[in-house]
Each structure stands twice: as structure tokens, then as C-alpha cells.
Amino acid sequence: MLNSTAEAEDLLRLHAPQVLGALVRRYGHFGEAEDAVQEALIAAARQWPEQGVPENPRGWLIRVASRRLMDQLRSDEARRRREEEAAQLSPRDAFTAPPPGESRAPSDDDTLTLLFLCCRPELSPAAQVALTLRAVGGLTTAEIARAHLVPEATMAQRISRAKAKVKGVPFRQPGPEDRDQRLSVVLQVLYLIFNEGYTATSGSALHRSDLAREAIRLTRSVRTLLPDEGAVTGLLALMLLTEARSAARTGPHGELIPLDEQDRSRWDRRAIEEGSALVEKALSQGPAGVYQLQAAIAALHDEAARADDTDWPQILALYDLLVRRAPEPMAELSRAVAFAMVHGPRAGLAEVAALEERLAGHHRLDAVRAHLLERAGETEAARAAYQLAAKRTLSVPETRYLQMRAARLLST
């Protein structure tokens, strides 16, 4: 008997991608198979907390989902054609018992295969995220819609269109020639999911822990399958080190608390220790890439007992490497902050000015400028920049924080 609904959800999400992989391998029809798995997951979520977990939970889910899928295929207008296709896709011994000592349990590699399928380049980033959360994460359409603050019908359409685009795509991992590129897309999608959970781009909540936790769980799964991939190890480290600060990022009324003002005793030391160990491992797994460098920067922040103890020169050196590897505007903006902490706020403002064209209209550029102007003693200019940043962000906690900083300067 499960102790809680949460335990049931964790167990179901663990098995979801392997069950879907088993059905797609056996029958094809990714879209229909995914719907059948969702129905099986819902049935299990209702039954298992009350009736207990079956001896073979994954086998139970495969059996129930297979029945739902076959019922669905038989009711389709193209029943005969689809059943013929399913028969051709099924192994000859699919419905016979395996020899003693052997098993046809779905491979754990199905999780990675599904991720590659959900993150195909012809899908938009939004569609990749939605399909990954549903097919690999096992989340319902309603859960994904709530996490992204959109109507369930809108999310259902997005997922339906994504399924249509991958219809007929062979269920196999990409070949060696494009595997690294496809893995890069998978990691980018997982990072997008995490970032939306850690700092929501809109709405009344700063942090959506369900999305952040799901991204960490999925990245752990990928690292289990690819333990020697430095980028995977680095991404998991980055997520853990960043999420470790989540309890201290907001005040009692949901207000944002910046990094240098956080109560560091509230940081998750266990996550920091795990993340720091993973950083060392990631940096030993080949040339340092974007995720490894970002994780190393996060580790330096987390390992400082006080804000004043932060090793800013080392952080700046890492940002120099990062923007050389990937000259992305947001990374360069973070580098400008580190530059200011080492060389002074006016030097940092010169770095920010160089990003004006590429980040025009972005609230984070205005917020960083405001912060550096305040440090430079230019109170009136800083207040105006805080107010402008507050107008441009869609996040309610960020708006309140920026307005508070502007109001505080008005009273000085």
C-alpha cells in the first residue's frame, strides 16, 4: 500500500516513459499509444493508493495501456489497415512467454529514445517542452497547462499538433552522425523546463516547484543512461545548485529576495554538496561546455558562506570563458554584473551599454542597469531604471520587487 498520493505519482512517472516506449516499439502509433498510456496512468493513480501496487507495476501499466490502445485501434475507421501495421511491427514472439531466465521488459533506453523523439528539430521549443512533459514526464495535459498558465484546451491543441508532426517517425535513437546535436536539443529543452519552473516568466508566483523538480528528475534519468556525458552531468549540477537556493528566494509574502540578501542558512546544503561534486565530475569529462561552466559559477556562489565571501574574480574568469564559448546576450549581461563586482559599478555600466542593441526592451537589462547605477550613487537615474524594468516584466513578484527598490530610492 502506498503511503501517499505523491508516492503514487512518483512511481507512475518513473514507469511512464518505459511503458510508452514498450507500446510504441510493439504497435507504432505514437500519438494513440501516448493517449493509451495516459489513460493507464490515470487508472493506476485511482486504484493503487487504495488497492495497493501490483507486484509488477510496469507490467500492469503495459497490459492496461495495451488494452486501451487495441480498443482504440479497433474502433478506428482504418481498423484493418492499422491492425495489419501493428502486427507487422510486433515481434513474432510478442504474445508468447519468453524463455526461462530471459525478459522482454522495456529497456531504460526508451526514456532517452522518447526524449529524442519529443525534441525533434521540426517542433517549436514550446511544443518540445509540452510533449516532453506529457510523454516522458507523465504529466497530464491539465497539469502542464496549469504550470504554463494557459487554458487546458490551448495546451491540448499544442500537444496534439506536436504528436501529428512526429507521427510515423521511427522509434529509435538518432544515428552517430546527428546524435550529439539531438542530445544538445534535449538538454536545452530540459533547461527550458527548469528555468520556467525556477523563475516563472509570468504570473503571480516566482517559483513553480513542480516544473523545476520535473526537470531535475528527467535530467537525472538522462544522466543514468549517459553517465560519461559532461554536458548532462553539468546540467544536472547546475539545476541542483540553482534549485538549492529556492527556499530563500522569496519572503513571507512571496516577494523576491536577491541573491546577496538571502538567508543562506535556508539553502539546501545536501543539494549543494551533490551539485558541487557533480561539477568536479563534469569538468573531468572532457572540455568544459556551457552547462559545466554555468554550474561552476553556481557552485562558487553556493559555497560562499556570506555574500561578501563570493569569489568574484574567479566567477568573472568563468564568465569570460562562457561568453567566448557561447556569446549569448543574457550570459553577457551576467558577466557585466561580475565585471562590476571586480572593477566597480561604472565599469560594469560600460559593459551593460554595449548590450543595449541586443537586449533593447528587456526588463533584465534595465534591472541590472538600475542596480549598478544605485551602486554608483546615481539615485535618480537608478530609480527611473527600476521603474522602467518594473513596467517591462510580466512576473508579479519581480514587478513588486523592482517597484520597491524604486520607492526606497525615492525616500533617500
Side-chain angles (χ1 to χ4, degrees):
M1 186 74 71
L2 291 169
N3 293 327
S4 68
T5 302
E7 288 182 17
E9 290 177 354
D10 289 344
L11 187 59
L12 292 172
R13 287 176 181 170
L14 173 67
H15 290 304
Q18 296 169 7
V19 174
L20 178 55
L23 261 66
V24 176
R25 284 187 188 280
R26 182 176 296 179
Y27 304 112
H29 309 296
F30 173 84
E32 292 88 341
E34 200 279 325
D35 288 338
V37 171
Q38 281 287 322
E39 291 185 27
L41 293 174
I42 291 171
R46 291 171 178 165
Q47 293 182 32
W48 292 3
E50 296 180 359
Q51 301 176 13
V53 180
E55 184 177 346
N56 180 0
R58 187 163 58 183
W60 187 97
L61 289 167
I62 291 174
R63 184 172 66 255
V64 172
S66 295
R67 289 173 181 167
R68 302 288 173 92
L69 176 59
M70 295 310 296
D71 288 344
Q72 185 177 350
L73 293 176
R74 290 192 184 98
S75 66
D76 194 278
E77 289 182 5
R79 173 182 57 83
R80 182 174 301 173
R81 176 175 57 80
R82 291 194 171 191
E83 289 186 346
E84 287 175 353
E85 291 176 2
Q88 291 173 359
L89 287 166
S90 299
R92 291 182 180 276
D93 61 348
F95 302 103
T96 61
E102 295 185 15
S103 171
R104 281 196 298 273
S107 167
D108 286 343
D109 286 349
D110 283 348
T111 300
L112 190 58
T113 305
L114 278 172
L115 278 166
F116 281 125
L117 183 64
C118 294
C119 299
R120 290 185 66 82
E122 57 264 36
L123 298 176
S124 69
Q128 290 171 338
V129 167
L131 195 58
T132 297
L133 287 173
R134 179 165 161 121
V136 188
L139 275 67
T140 66
T141 302
E143 288 173 325
I144 302 168
R146 282 197 301 271
H148 287 86
L149 303 180
V150 300
E152 184 175 349
T154 300
M155 186 56 68
Q157 290 178 349
R158 185 179 300 171
I159 293 171
S160 179
R161 287 193 295 266
K163 287 185 192 177
K165 286 189 176 182
V166 300
K167 185 176 183 178
V169 174
F171 187 72
R172 60 171 179 262
Q173 292 192 23
E177 66 282 356
D178 64 346
R179 179 186 174 280
D180 288 346
Q181 181 181 359
R182 292 282 296 281
L183 178 61
S184 173
V185 175
V186 167
L187 298 183
Q188 183 179 16
V189 168
L190 293 176
Y191 194 32
L192 283 172
I193 295 171
F194 176 79
N195 280 337
E196 182 60 27
Y198 188 73
T199 303
T201 53
S202 61
S204 59
L206 179 70
H207 185 244
R208 296 178 195 159
S209 58
D210 52 347
L211 279 182
R213 284 198 307 267
E214 186 61 23
I216 291 172
R217 187 185 73 81
L218 292 174
T219 307
R220 282 193 189 279
S221 296
V222 176
R223 185 169 185 268
T224 299
L225 301 170
L226 302 172
D228 299 322
E229 288 282 353
V232 179
T233 305
L235 179 57
L236 179 57
L238 174 59
M239 289 180 178
L240 289 169
L241 290 164
T242 305
E243 180 67 8
R245 310 176 203 137
S246 60
R249 290 179 70 227
T250 54
H253 305 294
E255 66 274 19
L256 185 150
I257 300 176
L259 182 63
D260 60 347
E261 297 177 16
Q262 289 176 15
D263 178 359
R264 299 187 177 213
S265 67
R266 300 186 64 199
W267 288 1
D268 185 340
R269 304 314 304 182
R270 184 177 297 179
I272 292 171
E273 289 173 6
E274 181 185 1
S276 296
L278 286 171
V279 170
E280 293 185 14
K281 182 71 173 176
L283 293 175
S284 71
Q285 294 176 319
V290 172
Y291 297 122
Q292 295 96 311
L293 291 170
Q294 287 181 292
I297 292 168
L300 287 171
H301 280 297
D302 287 12
E303 290 166 1
R306 301 175 304 145
D308 291 343
D309 298 331
T310 305
D311 189 347
W312 284 108
Q314 182 63 25
I315 288 174
L316 177 59
L318 289 169
Y319 269 122
D320 285 339
L321 284 174
L322 178 61
V323 299
R324 212 172 296 146
R325 296 275 169 85
E328 193 270 328
M330 281 301 168
E332 293 182 41
L333 185 61
S334 295
R335 177 193 169 277
V337 174
F339 195 87
M341 297 303 292
V342 175
H343 299 291
R346 295 196 182 280
L349 284 167
E351 298 291 316
V352 170
L355 297 170
E356 287 281 357
E357 186 175 343
R358 283 190 292 164
L359 287 173
H362 200 293
H363 78 280
R364 294 203 187 283
L365 181 75
D366 299 311
V368 169
R369 184 193 295 110
H371 174 67
L372 296 182
L373 285 168
E374 182 179 359
R375 287 177 62 89
E378 298 187 30
T379 305
E380 191 58 34
R383 187 169 67 85
Y386 278 129
Q387 289 174 332
L388 184 58
K391 289 179 182 177
R392 286 176 167 168
T393 182
L394 298 177
S395 167
V396 174
E398 284 189 340
T399 298
R400 290 173 178 164
Y401 167 74
L402 293 164
Q403 289 173 339
M404 180 271 292
R405 296 295 295 229
R408 189 169 69 180
L409 291 176
L410 184 62
S411 61
T412 58

